[in-house]
PDB file of all heavy atoms in Angstrom:
ATOM      1  N   GLU A  10     105.805  27.501  73.810  1.00  0.00           N
ATOM      2  CA  GLU A  10     105.604  26.382  72.867  1.00  0.00           C
ATOM      3  C   GLU A  10     104.149  26.016  72.823  1.00  0.00           C
ATOM      4  O   GLU A  10     103.373  26.243  73.762  1.00  0.00           O
ATOM      5  CB  GLU A  10     106.238  24.976  73.575  1.00  0.00           C
ATOM      6  CG  GLU A  10     107.713  24.997  73.455  1.00  0.00           C
ATOM      7  CD  GLU A  10     108.236  23.644  73.923  1.00  0.00           C
ATOM      8  OE1 GLU A  10     107.477  22.597  73.771  1.00  0.00           O
ATOM      9  OE2 GLU A  10     109.341  23.509  74.398  1.00  0.00           O
ATOM     10  N   ILE A  12     101.747  22.906  71.673  1.00  0.00           N
ATOM     11  CA  ILE A  12     101.731  21.510  71.376  1.00  0.00           C
ATOM     12  C   ILE A  12     100.339  20.975  71.177  1.00  0.00           C
ATOM     13  O   ILE A  12      99.562  21.161  72.126  1.00  0.00           O
ATOM     14  CB  ILE A  12     102.464  20.603  72.460  1.00  0.00           C
ATOM     15  CG1 ILE A  12     103.809  21.117  72.785  1.00  0.00           C
ATOM     16  CG2 ILE A  12     102.568  19.177  72.141  1.00  0.00           C
ATOM     17  CD1 ILE A  12     104.449  20.719  74.004  1.00  0.00           C
ATOM     18  N   GLY A  22     104.815  14.344  81.221  1.00  0.00           N
ATOM     19  CA  GLY A  22     105.950  13.822  81.858  1.00  0.00           C
ATOM     20  C   GLY A  22     107.292  14.144  81.176  1.00  0.00           C
ATOM     21  O   GLY A  22     108.246  14.689  81.628  1.00  0.00           O
ATOM     22  N   ASP A  23     107.281  13.901  79.856  1.00  0.00           N
ATOM     23  CA  ASP A  23     108.506  14.150  79.052  1.00  0.00           C
ATOM     24  C   ASP A  23     108.774  15.639  78.893  1.00  0.00           C
ATOM     25  O   ASP A  23     109.921  15.941  78.920  1.00  0.00           O
ATOM     26  CB  ASP A  23     108.305  13.622  77.629  1.00  0.00           C
ATOM     27  CG  ASP A  23     108.084  12.044  77.510  1.00  0.00           C
ATOM     28  OD1 ASP A  23     108.552  11.399  78.502  1.00  0.00           O
ATOM     29  OD2 ASP A  23     107.519  11.528  76.569  1.00  0.00           O
ATOM     30  N   ILE A  24     107.744  16.385  78.888  1.00  0.00           N
ATOM     31  CA  ILE A  24     107.869  17.910  78.895  1.00  0.00           C
ATOM     32  C   ILE A  24     108.466  18.321  80.188  1.00  0.00           C
ATOM     33  O   ILE A  24     109.478  19.223  80.251  1.00  0.00           O
ATOM     34  CB  ILE A  24     106.514  18.580  78.522  1.00  0.00           C
ATOM     35  CG1 ILE A  24     106.072  18.208  77.122  1.00  0.00           C
ATOM     36  CG2 ILE A  24     106.647  20.028  78.786  1.00  0.00           C
ATOM     37  CD1 ILE A  24     104.491  18.668  76.924  1.00  0.00           C
ATOM     38  N   ALA A  25     107.967  17.826  81.300  1.00  0.00           N
ATOM     39  CA  ALA A  25     108.493  18.159  82.611  1.00  0.00           C
ATOM     40  C   ALA A  25     109.964  17.880  82.767  1.00  0.00           C
ATOM     41  O   ALA A  25     110.844  18.640  83.373  1.00  0.00           O
ATOM     42  CB  ALA A  25     107.715  17.521  83.747  1.00  0.00           C
ATOM     43  N   ILE A  26     110.449  16.696  82.199  1.00  0.00           N
ATOM     44  CA  ILE A  26     111.730  16.315  82.263  1.00  0.00           C
ATOM     45  C   ILE A  26     112.681  17.259  81.360  1.00  0.00           C
ATOM     46  O   ILE A  26     113.716  17.743  81.669  1.00  0.00           O
ATOM     47  CB  ILE A  26     111.900  14.876  81.676  1.00  0.00           C
ATOM     48  CG1 ILE A  26     111.447  13.881  82.630  1.00  0.00           C
ATOM     49  CG2 ILE A  26     113.448  14.545  81.464  1.00  0.00           C
ATOM     50  CD1 ILE A  26     111.316  12.345  82.197  1.00  0.00           C
ATOM     51  N   ARG A  27     112.153  17.511  80.218  1.00  0.00           N
ATOM     52  CA  ARG A  27     112.905  18.420  79.226  1.00  0.00           C
ATOM     53  C   ARG A  27     113.080  19.863  79.806  1.00  0.00           C
ATOM     54  O   ARG A  27     114.104  20.482  79.615  1.00  0.00           O
ATOM     55  CB  ARG A  27     112.085  18.564  77.961  1.00  0.00           C
ATOM     56  CG  ARG A  27     112.638  19.465  76.950  1.00  0.00           C
ATOM     57  CD  ARG A  27     112.310  18.990  75.566  1.00  0.00           C
ATOM     58  NE  ARG A  27     110.841  18.940  75.296  1.00  0.00           N
ATOM     59  CZ  ARG A  27     110.101  20.025  75.008  1.00  0.00           C
ATOM     60  NH1 ARG A  27     110.629  21.245  74.870  1.00  0.00           N
ATOM     61  NH2 ARG A  27     108.815  19.887  74.828  1.00  0.00           N
ATOM     62  N   TYR A  28     112.106  20.326  80.588  1.00  0.00           N
ATOM     63  CA  TYR A  28     112.161  21.579  81.216  1.00  0.00           C
ATOM     64  C   TYR A  28     112.864  21.573  82.732  1.00  0.00           C
ATOM     65  O   TYR A  28     112.975  22.540  83.302  1.00  0.00           O
ATOM     66  CB  TYR A  28     110.821  22.247  81.415  1.00  0.00           C
ATOM     67  CG  TYR A  28     110.345  22.995  80.132  1.00  0.00           C
ATOM     68  CD1 TYR A  28     109.938  22.308  78.988  1.00  0.00           C
ATOM     69  CD2 TYR A  28     110.488  24.424  80.007  1.00  0.00           C
ATOM     70  CE1 TYR A  28     109.529  22.955  77.826  1.00  0.00           C
ATOM     71  CE2 TYR A  28     110.158  25.045  78.836  1.00  0.00           C
ATOM     72  CZ  TYR A  28     109.607  24.358  77.884  1.00  0.00           C
ATOM     73  OH  TYR A  28     109.286  24.997  76.716  1.00  0.00           O
ATOM     74  N   GLN A  29     113.219  20.430  83.067  1.00  0.00           N
ATOM     75  CA  GLN A  29     113.903  20.133  84.314  1.00  0.00           C
ATOM     76  C   GLN A  29     112.908  20.691  85.526  1.00  0.00           C
ATOM     77  O   GLN A  29     113.458  21.083  86.515  1.00  0.00           O
ATOM     78  CB  GLN A  29     115.230  20.742  84.402  1.00  0.00           C
ATOM     79  CG  GLN A  29     116.170  20.228  83.363  1.00  0.00           C
ATOM     80  CD  GLN A  29     117.568  20.826  83.373  1.00  0.00           C
ATOM     81  OE1 GLN A  29     117.711  21.967  83.885  1.00  0.00           O
ATOM     82  NE2 GLN A  29     118.467  20.115  82.947  1.00  0.00           N
TER      83      GLN A  29
END
Side-chain angles (χ1 to χ4, degrees):
E10 287 188 26
I12 304 166
D23 296 336
I24 293 168
I26 291 172
R27 179 156 55 87
Y28 275 79
Q29 299 182 333

